[in-house]
Amino acid sequence: MIQTPTSNELDKLCQQLRDRADALDAAGHWPDEQLRLCGEAGVFRWFLPEQSHGYAWDEVDVLRGYLKLSAACLTTTFVITQRTGACRRIADSENTAMQARWLPGLAEGSLMATVGISHLTTSRRHLAKPVLAARSVDDGYLFDGFSPWVTGADAADVIVTGATLDDGRQVLAAIPTDAPGISVDEPARLIGVSASHTGAVQLRGVHVSQEWILDGPIENVMAAGKGAGTGGLQTSTLALGLARAAIDYLTDEANRRSDLREPTDALDAAWQETVHDLLDAAAGTPCCSSEDLRSRANGLALRTSQAALTAAKGTGYVVGHPAGRWCREALFFLVWSCPQPVLSATLCELAGLE
């Protein structure tokens, strides 16, 4: 039976995540406890079809869930997006052996998966030589190079990543993290969401057997399925979730300070309009492009977090206050899976250009 969102259960989970968010940010430790709570609440099943041990939520319900989770703890929700990207790509493949091996444990939360695909989508694609190359060998391929931005690789059991052959075709595979030749670099120290443990993974002569291949070899393997993409509507959703947290803070403050009421109401109205358009797009009736939605969501994350810091005054500038964390986290959306049209629009907005 398909499980639909239960508001009370989801609200309880979000409060548990919210209560832990500042401590998680301060410590920078991997969010084991947060992910355990999400697994117990069935979050990991939202995104999978029933035949893959999931609840088969439709896209609108998934984005509504992401809005709530990211308003409570952006770091945990970001980790879940990377986990989900891997799960969906495995589930959408024709590789039934990989589905049987990984999906039951991933659905229940006993296993961890992540993606390393930025080098195939937005990162380092301008380089003449691919950062992760593949060479055909008996029973598979040899992967050699590195994947520059992988979230939670030091906690993952499997990484979905791709490499490029000499002829430009690409292959995508689900590679166990204990495969010989894989090593995980020290996670990068990020301005925000550092507890996501995002950093490079080295693959030096890793033998990727044919049984691990999810797709390819084909050109632009990421365009062949929806599973491992990290951009699009979900990224905008997380930015809007962060904005919601800041607006809720401003609303509470405005109940005591009348000078905050008008700007808070204006930000909330812009948020409501953008979320309406986002959910329409998820339902298949878009009124604008995904790039426009992303630009608007990014702008709201930046403006609302800075408004919250302004309202908090000096207290908000002290480490441990959520307003400072929200400001740092908002910057993440300027670099995470940010396509060129969105980047250009942001730069023009910052420069005061039309």
Side-chain angles (χ1 to χ4, degrees):
M1 178 183 293
I2 296 176
Q3 301 287 322
T4 54
T6 303
S7 293
N8 289 340
E9 293 177 355
L10 185 53
D11 288 345
K12 179 182 177 181
L13 171 64
C14 287
Q15 188 58 55
Q16 291 174 312
L17 297 179
R18 191 175 296 110
D19 290 344
R20 293 164 169 80
D22 286 319
L24 177 68
D25 178 67
H29 298 319
W30 176 250
D32 269 324
E33 177 66 8
Q34 287 84 344
L35 294 173
R36 182 188 67 79
L37 291 169
C38 289
E40 290 178 353
V43 170
F44 304 142
R45 299 184 189 274
W46 294 359
F47 317 96
L48 294 172
E50 289 183 276
Q51 64 269 25
S52 299
H53 312 277
Y55 293 161
W57 281 20
D58 64 31
E59 195 66 16
V60 172
D61 280 340
V62 165
L63 294 192
R64 289 186 186 277
Y66 268 148
L67 280 171
K68 285 182 172 288
L69 290 175
S70 54
C73 181
L74 180 66
T75 295
T76 300
T77 313
F78 169 57
V79 169
I80 291 172
T81 65
Q82 307 307 287
R83 188 186 195 283
T84 299
C87 292
R88 280 185 161 178
R89 184 61 72 159
I90 293 170
D92 289 344
S93 77
E94 297 180 358
N95 191 329
T96 56
M98 288 295 93
Q99 291 168 1
R101 176 174 179 177
W102 296 114
L103 290 181
L106 290 170
E108 70 180 12
S110 61
L111 295 176
M112 173 66 191
T114 189
V115 290
I117 48 83
S118 67
H119 57 286
L120 301 175
T121 55
T122 59
S123 177
R124 307 185 191 226
R125 297 190 70 195
H126 61 285
L127 300 178
K129 182 180 179 181
V131 297
L132 185 53
R135 178 166 60 89
S136 182
V137 296
D138 291 341
D139 189 34
Y141 302 87
L142 282 182
F143 279 24
D144 196 71
F146 72 103
S147 183
W149 298 107
V150 184
T151 293
D154 53 358
D157 299 285
V158 59
I159 297 176
V160 171
T161 190
T164 305
L165 292 158
D166 286 343
D167 61 6
R169 293 180 302 161
Q170 298 168 335
V171 289
L172 194 75
I175 306 177
T177 54
D178 60 1
I182 287 186
S183 61
V184 178
D185 288 1
E186 189 77 16
R189 295 182 62 188
L190 305 178
I191 294 171
V193 301
S194 202
S196 66
H197 284 201
T198 298
V201 172
Q202 307 292 330
L203 296 93
R204 301 302 182 189
V206 176
H207 181 253
V208 178
S209 67
Q210 191 63 46
E211 66 177 320
W212 298 348
I213 300 299
L214 301 178
D215 210 341
I218 55 174
E219 293 185 3
N220 195 12
V221 72
M222 295 309 300
K226 63 186 179 182
T230 57
L233 298 183
Q234 74 173 23
T235 314
S236 299
T237 304
L238 267 62
L240 290 168
L242 176 62
R244 184 71 255 166
I247 292 170
D248 287 345
Y249 172 80
L250 287 166
T251 300
D252 288 342
E253 291 295 305
N255 290 333
R256 297 184 290 273
R257 297 163 54 188
S258 59
D259 61 306
L260 297 179
R261 176 53 58 193
E262 184 177 2
T264 299
D265 287 346
L267 288 168
D268 187 50
W271 186 89
Q272 298 288 349
E273 180 181 5
T274 307
V275 168
H276 179 273
D277 292 347
L278 174 84
L279 297 179
D280 277 353
T285 55
C287 68
C288 60
S289 68
S290 60
E291 290 83 5
D292 179 66
L293 277 171
R294 177 68 189 275
S295 295
R296 290 159 62 191
N298 280 10
L300 276 167
L302 291 166
R303 296 198 306 276
T304 57
S305 59
Q306 291 178 39
L309 181 62
T310 302
K313 302 182 180 179
T315 303
Y317 203 63
V318 176
V319 172
H321 194 286
R325 170 169 57 83
W326 296 329
C327 285
R328 288 185 286 106
E329 290 175 341
L331 298 176
F332 180 50
F333 295 98
L334 299 180
V335 298
W336 175 32
S337 189
C338 199
Q340 187 61 43
V342 177
L343 187 152
S344 297
T346 300
L347 289 173
C348 288
E349 182 179 358
L350 292 172
L353 301 174
E354 291 294 332

